Amino acid sequence: MNFSISWLSQYYTKIITLYKKKKLHPIILLQSTYDIGIQKLVYEISTFFLCLKKKKMYYCNKCTSCYLMKLKIHPDFYDIKDKNKKKIGIDLIRNVILKIYTTAQQGNKKILWFSNILNLTHEASNTLLKTCEEPPKNTFFFLYTNNSQHMISTLRSRAIFYNLSVPTEKEGILWLKKKNIKKKISLNLIQTSLRLYNYSPFSANFFLNNVLFSQRIKIINIFKNYYINRKYLILINAFKYINNPDLIFWICFLILDAIKLLSKKKINIQNLDQISFLKKFSKEYSYQILNKMLFSWLKCNFCLCNILGIDKEILIIEQVLYTTILLKKNLEN
Ligand SMILES: [Zn+2]
């Protein structure tokens, strides 16, 4: 079966080629800042490793092993997660290591997949490190992180390192168009979703097919009424979405786009589907006021993310009051 993600295919080919030459390092560390499909890459590579009837560079998609991988129940593929909590402790790692020292059940290979190596506790990382120092035969460790600098350095130095960058916008657009072929989503909206989500096609696709999409439309309407029609209390309606971590980012991107338009730097406008509103918005306010607005929302987001137990509603009320004063100042000038 062919590998379908164009921007990752070079890594698929590289790893499979090394594997076939028996030169693949058993500990493979993959890093990418955003979700670009690494889970899928590891799944495809692992299916190839475990396939009983490989065809050149691809797995057969017919044998028992491929079937078990498809059902996500292959006994030699270990997806290391703790179902009950985010952190992965030493006991779970010890149990898995104990299991891999027993014979593989299908095809003689074993694969361990750590979808976020930073979720391991310090003790669990050290236990894994000991195994990685002398890895068992026919066993491959795939480790993923969005920032390898936060791993224990000794574990990092044991692995072969691949830093995977986000695809180009063109690649992202093509992939999203294919994924949403029945929906007939406009190019503007596809580009907007990619730009809002750091060119990660997977995050953009999640956004387009999730409640997030309709929430953004509602937030933008609130925003328009607040900043253009000056219905000051309407911002309180944003309370409903306060638990959505993207809420403040969407607002910040709108303000940032207005600043870009005002300073005639039209490069990389995020909200391409809102150009007419952004033009109006950027004409309405001065550069200084927009900057202050942006800073206040970023500060609000910082408090939300970093102050444990903060009263979110009071924070938003403070934000509404502050921006309302700013808006009135803008009117007076
Ligand atoms: Zn197969």
Side-chain angles (χ1 to χ4, degrees), residues 263-324:
S263 56
K264 310 264 183 264
K265 284 178 185 155
K266 291 184 186 171
I267 315 155
N268 219 356
I269 296 284
Q270 315 276 338
N271 298 279
L272 286 170
D273 62 334
Q274 299 295 330
I275 291 291
S276 61
F277 160 64
L278 287 170
K279 280 183 181 164
K280 224 188 264 179
F281 183 44
S282 61
K283 275 180 194 158
E284 202 84 7
Y285 297 98
S286 69
Y287 182 75
Q288 285 78 5
I289 294 284
L290 287 171
N291 261 323
K292 280 185 181 171
M293 267 185 215
L294 180 61
F295 181 74
S296 72
W297 279 108
L298 288 172
K299 193 178 135 204
C300 176
N301 190 53
F302 179 84
C303 296
L304 275 175
C305 298
N306 294 292
I307 304 174
L308 211 65
I310 194 165
D311 188 324
K312 292 177 181 178
E313 293 202 0
I314 288 183
L315 194 72
I316 288 284
I317 289 172
E318 192 193 348
Q319 180 64 16
V320 173
L321 289 173
Y322 177 75
T323 41
T324 307

Coordinates of all heavy atoms in Angstrom, one line a residue, residues 263-324:
S263 N -0.4 48.7 8.4 CA 1.0 49.0 8.1 C 1.3 48.6 6.7 O 2.5 48.6 6.3 CB 1.9 48.3 9.1 OG 1.7 46.9 9.1
K264 N 0.3 48.3 5.9 CA 0.5 48.0 4.4 C 1.4 46.7 4.2 O 1.9 46.5 3.2 CB 1.1 49.2 3.6 CG 0.4 50.5 3.9 CD -0.6 50.8 2.8 CE -1.3 52.1 2.9 NZ -2.5 52.1 3.6
K265 N 1.5 45.9 5.3 CA 2.2 44.7 5.1 C 1.2 43.5 5.0 O 0.8 43.0 6.0 CB 3.2 44.4 6.3 CG 4.4 45.3 6.3 CD 5.3 45.1 7.4 CE 6.4 46.1 7.4 NZ 7.0 46.4 8.7
K266 N 0.8 43.3 3.8 CA -0.3 42.3 3.6 C 0.2 40.9 3.6 O -0.5 39.9 3.4 CB -1.0 42.6 2.3 CG -1.8 43.9 2.3 CD -2.6 44.1 1.1 CE -3.2 45.5 1.1 NZ -3.8 45.9 -0.1
I267 N 1.5 40.7 3.9 CA 2.1 39.4 3.8 C 1.5 38.5 4.9 O 1.4 38.9 6.0 CB 3.6 39.4 4.0 CG1 4.2 40.5 3.2 CG2 4.3 38.1 3.7 CD1 5.5 41.1 3.7
N268 N 1.2 37.3 4.5 CA 0.7 36.3 5.5 C -0.5 36.7 6.3 O -0.4 36.5 7.6 CB 1.9 35.9 6.3 CG 1.9 34.4 6.6 OD1 0.9 33.7 6.2 ND2 2.8 33.9 7.3
I269 N -1.5 37.3 5.7 CA -2.7 37.5 6.5 C -3.3 36.2 6.9 O -3.4 35.3 6.0 CB -3.7 38.3 5.6 CG1 -3.2 39.7 5.2 CG2 -5.1 38.4 6.2 CD1 -3.2 40.7 6.3
Q270 N -3.7 36.0 8.1 CA -4.2 34.7 8.6 C -5.7 34.5 8.1 O -6.0 33.5 7.6 CB -4.1 34.5 10.1 CG -2.8 35.0 10.7 CD -1.8 34.0 10.7 OE1 -2.1 32.8 10.6 NE2 -0.5 34.4 10.8
N271 N -6.5 35.5 8.4 CA -7.9 35.3 8.2 C -8.3 35.8 6.8 O -9.0 36.8 6.6 CB -8.7 36.2 9.3 CG -8.4 35.7 10.7 OD1 -9.0 34.7 11.1 ND2 -7.5 36.3 11.3
L272 N -7.9 35.0 5.8 CA -8.2 35.4 4.4 C -9.7 35.4 4.1 O -10.1 36.1 3.2 CB -7.5 34.4 3.5 CG -6.0 34.6 3.4 CD1 -5.4 33.4 2.6 CD2 -5.6 35.9 2.7
D273 N -10.5 34.7 4.9 CA -11.9 34.7 4.7 C -12.6 35.9 5.3 O -13.9 36.0 5.2 CB -12.5 33.4 5.2 CG -12.3 33.2 6.7 OD1 -11.4 33.8 7.3 OD2 -13.2 32.5 7.4
Q274 N -11.9 36.8 5.9 CA -12.5 37.9 6.6 C -11.9 39.2 6.1 O -11.9 40.2 6.8 CB -12.3 37.8 8.1 CG -12.9 36.6 8.8 CD -14.4 36.6 8.7 OE1 -15.0 37.6 8.7 NE2 -15.0 35.4 8.6
I275 N -11.4 39.3 4.9 CA -10.7 40.5 4.4 C -11.6 41.7 4.5 O -11.1 42.8 4.9 CB -10.2 40.2 3.0 CG1 -9.0 39.2 3.0 CG2 -9.7 41.5 2.3 CD1 -7.8 39.7 3.6
S276 N -12.9 41.7 4.0 CA -13.7 42.9 4.0 C -13.9 43.4 5.4 O -13.8 44.7 5.7 CB -15.0 42.7 3.3 OG -15.7 41.7 4.0
F277 N -14.1 42.5 6.4 CA -14.2 43.0 7.8 C -12.9 43.6 8.3 O -12.9 44.6 8.9 CB -14.7 41.8 8.7 CG -14.4 42.0 10.1 CD1 -15.0 43.1 10.8 CD2 -13.5 41.2 10.8 CE1 -14.7 43.3 12.2 CE2 -13.2 41.5 12.2 CZ -13.8 42.5 12.8
L278 N -11.8 42.9 7.9 CA -10.5 43.4 8.4 C -10.1 44.8 7.9 O -9.6 45.6 8.6 CB -9.4 42.4 8.0 CG -9.4 41.1 8.8 CD1 -8.4 40.1 8.1 CD2 -9.0 41.3 10.2
K279 N -10.5 45.0 6.6 CA -10.3 46.4 6.1 C -11.0 47.4 6.9 O -10.5 48.5 7.2 CB -10.7 46.4 4.6 CG -9.7 45.7 3.7 CD -10.1 45.8 2.2 CE -9.1 45.2 1.3 NZ -9.6 44.9 0.0
K280 N -12.3 47.1 7.2 CA -13.1 48.1 7.9 C -12.5 48.3 9.3 O -12.4 49.4 9.8 CB -14.5 47.5 8.1 CG -15.6 48.5 7.9 CD -17.0 47.9 8.2 CE -17.6 47.3 7.0 NZ -18.9 46.7 7.3
F281 N -12.1 47.2 9.9 CA -11.6 47.1 11.3 C -10.3 48.0 11.4 O -10.1 48.8 12.3 CB -11.3 45.7 11.7 CG -10.9 45.5 13.1 CD1 -11.4 46.2 14.2 CD2 -9.9 44.5 13.3 CE1 -11.0 45.9 15.5 CE2 -9.4 44.3 14.6 CZ -9.9 45.0 15.7
S282 N -9.4 47.8 10.4 CA -8.1 48.5 10.4 C -8.3 50.0 10.2 O -7.5 50.8 10.6 CB -7.1 47.9 9.4 OG -7.7 48.0 8.1
K283 N -9.4 50.4 9.5 CA -9.6 51.8 9.2 C -10.2 52.5 10.5 O -10.0 53.7 10.7 CB -10.6 52.0 8.0 CG -9.9 51.9 6.7 CD -10.9 52.1 5.6 CE -10.2 51.7 4.3 NZ -11.2 51.4 3.3
E284 N -10.9 51.7 11.3 CA -11.6 52.2 12.4 C -10.6 52.6 13.6 O -10.9 53.5 14.3 CB -12.5 51.1 12.9 CG -13.7 51.6 13.7 CD -14.8 52.1 12.9 OE1 -14.8 51.9 11.6 OE2 -15.8 52.6 13.4
Y285 N -9.5 51.9 13.7 CA -8.6 52.1 14.9 C -7.2 52.5 14.5 O -6.7 52.1 13.4 CB -8.6 50.9 15.7 CG -10.0 50.5 16.3 CD1 -10.8 49.6 15.7 CD2 -10.5 51.2 17.4 CE1 -12.1 49.3 16.1 CE2 -11.8 51.0 17.8 CZ -12.5 50.0 17.2 OH -13.8 49.8 17.7
S286 N -6.6 53.2 15.4 CA -5.2 53.6 15.2 C -4.3 52.5 15.4 O -4.6 51.5 16.1 CB -4.8 54.8 16.1 OG -4.7 54.4 17.4
Y287 N -3.1 52.6 14.9 CA -2.0 51.5 15.1 C -1.8 51.3 16.6 O -1.7 50.2 17.0 CB -0.8 52.0 14.3 CG 0.4 51.1 14.4 CD1 0.4 49.9 13.6 CD2 1.5 51.3 15.2 CE1 1.4 49.0 13.6 CE2 2.5 50.4 15.2 CZ 2.5 49.3 14.4 OH 3.6 48.4 14.4
Q288 N -1.7 52.4 17.3 CA -1.4 52.3 18.8 C -2.5 51.6 19.5 O -2.2 50.7 20.4 CB -1.2 53.7 19.4 CG 0.1 54.4 19.1 CD 0.1 55.0 17.7 OE1 -0.9 55.0 17.0 NE2 1.2 55.5 17.3
I289 N -3.7 51.9 19.2 CA -4.9 51.3 19.9 C -4.9 49.8 19.5 O -5.1 48.9 20.4 CB -6.2 51.9 19.5 CG1 -6.3 53.4 20.0 CG2 -7.4 51.1 20.0 CD1 -6.5 53.6 21.5
L290 N -4.7 49.4 18.3 CA -4.6 48.0 17.9 C -3.5 47.2 18.6 O -3.7 46.1 19.1 CB -4.5 47.9 16.4 CG -5.7 48.2 15.5 CD1 -5.3 48.3 14.0 CD2 -6.8 47.3 15.7
N291 N -2.4 47.9 18.7 CA -1.3 47.3 19.5 C -1.6 47.0 20.9 O -1.3 46.0 21.5 CB 0.0 48.2 19.4 CG 0.9 47.7 18.3 OD1 1.1 46.5 18.1 ND2 1.5 48.6 17.6
K292 N -2.3 48.0 21.5 CA -2.7 47.9 22.9 C -3.7 46.8 23.1 O -3.7 46.0 24.0 CB -3.2 49.2 23.5 CG -2.1 50.2 23.8 CD -2.7 51.4 24.5 CE -1.6 52.4 24.8 NZ -2.1 53.7 25.2
M293 N -4.6 46.7 22.1 CA -5.7 45.6 22.1 C -5.0 44.3 22.1 O -5.3 43.4 22.9 CB -6.5 45.7 20.9 CG -7.8 46.5 21.0 SD -8.6 46.3 19.4 CE -9.3 47.9 19.2
L294 N -4.1 44.1 21.2 CA -3.4 42.8 21.0 C -2.6 42.4 22.2 O -2.8 41.3 22.7 CB -2.4 42.9 19.8 CG -1.6 41.7 19.5 CD1 -2.5 40.5 19.1 CD2 -0.6 41.9 18.3
F295 N -1.9 43.4 22.8 CA -1.1 43.1 24.0 C -2.1 42.7 25.1 O -1.8 41.8 25.9 CB -0.3 44.4 24.4 CG 0.5 44.1 25.6 CD1 1.7 43.3 25.5 CD2 0.2 44.7 26.8 CE1 2.4 43.1 26.7 CE2 0.9 44.4 28.0 CZ 2.1 43.6 27.9
S296 N -3.2 43.4 25.3 CA -4.1 43.1 26.4 C -4.7 41.7 26.3 O -4.8 40.9 27.2 CB -5.2 44.1 26.5 OG -6.1 44.0 25.5
W297 N -5.0 41.3 25.0 CA -5.5 39.9 24.8 C -4.4 38.8 25.1 O -4.7 37.8 25.6 CB -6.1 39.7 23.4 CG -7.5 40.3 23.3 CD1 -7.9 41.4 22.6 CD2 -8.7 39.7 23.8 NE1 -9.2 41.6 22.7 CE2 -9.7 40.6 23.5 CE3 -9.0 38.6 24.6 CZ2 -11.1 40.3 23.8 CZ3 -10.3 38.3 25.0 CH2 -11.3 39.2 24.6
L298 N -3.2 39.2 24.7 CA -2.1 38.2 24.9 C -1.9 38.1 26.4 O -1.6 37.0 26.9 CB -0.8 38.7 24.2 CG -0.8 38.5 22.7 CD1 0.4 39.2 22.1 CD2 -0.9 37.1 22.3
K299 N -2.0 39.2 27.1 CA -1.8 39.2 28.6 C -2.9 38.3 29.2 O -2.6 37.5 30.1 CB -1.8 40.6 29.1 CG -1.3 40.7 30.5 CD -1.3 42.2 31.0 CE -2.0 42.3 32.4 NZ -2.5 43.6 32.6
C300 N -4.1 38.5 28.7 CA -5.3 37.8 29.2 C -5.0 36.3 29.0 O -5.3 35.5 29.9 CB -6.5 38.3 28.5 SG -8.0 37.4 28.9
N301 N -4.5 35.9 27.8 CA -4.3 34.5 27.5 C -3.2 34.0 28.4 O -3.3 32.8 28.9 CB -3.9 34.4 26.1 CG -3.8 32.9 25.7 OD1 -4.8 32.2 25.8 ND2 -2.7 32.5 25.2
F302 N -2.2 34.8 28.7 CA -1.1 34.3 29.5 C -1.6 34.0 30.9 O -1.3 33.0 31.5 CB 0.0 35.4 29.6 CG 1.2 35.0 30.5 CD1 2.2 34.3 30.0 CD2 1.2 35.4 31.9 CE1 3.3 33.9 30.8 CE2 2.2 35.0 32.7 CZ 3.3 34.3 32.2
C303 N -2.5 34.9 31.5 CA -3.1 34.7 32.8 C -3.9 33.4 32.8 O -3.8 32.6 33.7 CB -3.9 35.8 33.2 SG -3.0 37.3 33.4
L304 N -4.7 33.2 31.7 CA -5.6 32.0 31.7 C -4.7 30.7 31.7 O -5.1 29.7 32.3 CB -6.4 32.0 30.4 CG -7.7 32.8 30.4 CD1 -8.3 32.8 29.0 CD2 -8.7 32.2 31.4
C305 N -3.6 30.8 31.0 CA -2.8 29.5 30.8 C -1.9 29.3 32.0 O -1.5 28.1 32.2 CB -1.9 29.6 29.5 SG -2.9 29.7 28.1
N306 N -1.5 30.3 32.7 CA -0.4 30.1 33.7 C -0.8 30.3 35.1 O -0.1 30.0 36.0 CB 0.7 31.1 33.4 CG 1.4 30.7 32.1 OD1 2.0 29.7 32.0 ND2 1.2 31.5 31.1
I307 N -2.0 30.9 35.4 CA -2.4 31.1 36.8 C -3.4 30.1 37.2 O -4.5 30.0 36.7 CB -2.9 32.5 37.1 CG1 -1.8 33.6 36.6 CG2 -3.3 32.7 38.5 CD1 -2.3 35.0 36.7
L308 N -3.0 29.2 38.0 CA -3.8 28.0 38.4 C -5.0 28.5 39.2 O -4.9 29.4 40.1 CB -3.0 27.1 39.3 CG -3.3 25.6 39.3 CD1 -3.0 25.1 37.9 CD2 -2.5 24.9 40.3
G309 N -6.2 28.1 38.8 CA -7.4 28.4 39.6 C -7.9 29.8 39.3 O -8.8 30.3 40.1
I310 N -7.5 30.5 38.3 CA -7.9 31.9 38.1 C -9.4 31.9 37.7 O -9.9 31.0 37.1 CB -7.0 32.5 37.0 CG1 -7.3 34.0 37.0 CG2 -7.3 31.9 35.6 CD1 -6.2 34.8 36.2
D311 N -10.1 32.9 38.2 CA -11.5 33.1 37.8 C -11.6 33.6 36.4 O -11.4 34.8 36.2 CB -12.2 34.0 38.9 CG -13.7 34.0 38.7 OD1 -14.2 33.9 37.5 OD2 -14.4 34.1 39.7
K312 N -12.0 32.7 35.5 CA -12.0 33.1 34.1 C -13.0 34.2 33.8 O -12.7 35.1 33.0 CB -12.3 31.8 33.2 CG -11.2 30.8 33.3 CD -11.6 29.6 32.5 CE -10.5 28.5 32.5 NZ -10.9 27.3 31.8
E313 N -14.1 34.2 34.4 CA -15.2 35.2 34.1 C -14.7 36.6 34.6 O -14.9 37.5 33.8 CB -16.5 34.8 34.8 CG -17.1 33.5 34.2 CD -18.5 33.4 34.5 OE1 -19.1 34.3 35.1 OE2 -19.1 32.4 34.0
I314 N -14.1 36.6 35.7 CA -13.6 37.9 36.2 C -12.5 38.5 35.3 O -12.5 39.6 34.9 CB -13.1 37.8 37.7 CG1 -14.3 37.7 38.6 CG2 -12.2 39.1 38.1 CD1 -14.0 37.6 40.1
L315 N -11.7 37.5 34.8 CA -10.6 37.9 33.9 C -11.2 38.5 32.6 O -10.7 39.5 32.1 CB -9.7 36.7 33.6 CG -8.4 37.0 32.9 CD1 -7.4 37.6 33.8 CD2 -7.8 35.7 32.3
I316 N -12.2 37.9 32.1 CA -12.9 38.4 30.8 C -13.6 39.7 31.1 O -13.5 40.6 30.3 CB -13.8 37.3 30.2 CG1 -13.1 36.2 29.6 CG2 -14.7 37.9 29.2 CD1 -12.4 36.4 28.3
I317 N -14.2 39.8 32.2 CA -14.9 41.1 32.6 C -13.8 42.2 32.6 O -14.0 43.3 32.0 CB -15.6 41.1 33.9 CG1 -16.9 40.2 33.7 CG2 -16.1 42.4 34.4 CD1 -17.6 39.8 35.0
E318 N -12.7 41.9 33.2 CA -11.6 42.9 33.2 C -11.1 43.3 31.8 O -10.9 44.5 31.5 CB -10.4 42.3 34.0 CG -9.4 43.4 34.4 CD -8.1 42.8 34.9 OE1 -8.1 41.6 35.2 OE2 -7.1 43.5 35.0
Q319 N -11.1 42.2 31.0 CA -10.6 42.4 29.6 C -11.7 43.3 28.8 O -11.3 44.2 28.1 CB -10.5 41.1 28.9 CG -10.1 41.1 27.5 CD -8.7 41.7 27.3 OE1 -7.9 41.8 28.2 NE2 -8.4 42.1 26.1
V320 N -13.0 43.0 29.1 CA -14.0 43.8 28.4 C -13.9 45.3 28.8 O -14.0 46.2 28.0 CB -15.4 43.2 28.7 CG1 -16.5 44.1 28.2 CG2 -15.6 41.8 28.2
L321 N -13.7 45.5 30.1 CA -13.7 46.9 30.6 C -12.5 47.6 30.0 O -12.6 48.7 29.6 CB -13.6 46.9 32.2 CG -14.9 46.5 32.9 CD1 -14.6 46.3 34.4 CD2 -16.0 47.4 32.6
Y322 N -11.3 46.9 30.0 CA -10.1 47.5 29.5 C -10.2 47.9 28.1 O -10.0 49.0 27.7 CB -8.9 46.6 29.7 CG -7.6 47.2 29.2 CD1 -7.0 48.2 29.8 CD2 -7.1 46.7 28.0 CE1 -5.8 48.7 29.3 CE2 -6.0 47.2 27.4 CZ -5.3 48.3 28.1 OH -4.2 48.8 27.6
T323 N -10.7 46.9 27.2 CA -10.8 47.2 25.8 C -11.9 48.3 25.5 O -11.7 49.1 24.6 CB -11.1 45.9 25.0 OG1 -12.0 45.2 25.6 CG2 -9.9 45.1 24.7
T324 N -12.9 48.3 26.3 CA -14.0 49.3 26.1 C -13.4 50.7 26.4 O -13.7 51.7 25.6 CB -15.2 49.0 27.1 OG1 -15.6 47.7 26.9 CG2 -16.4 50.0 26.8

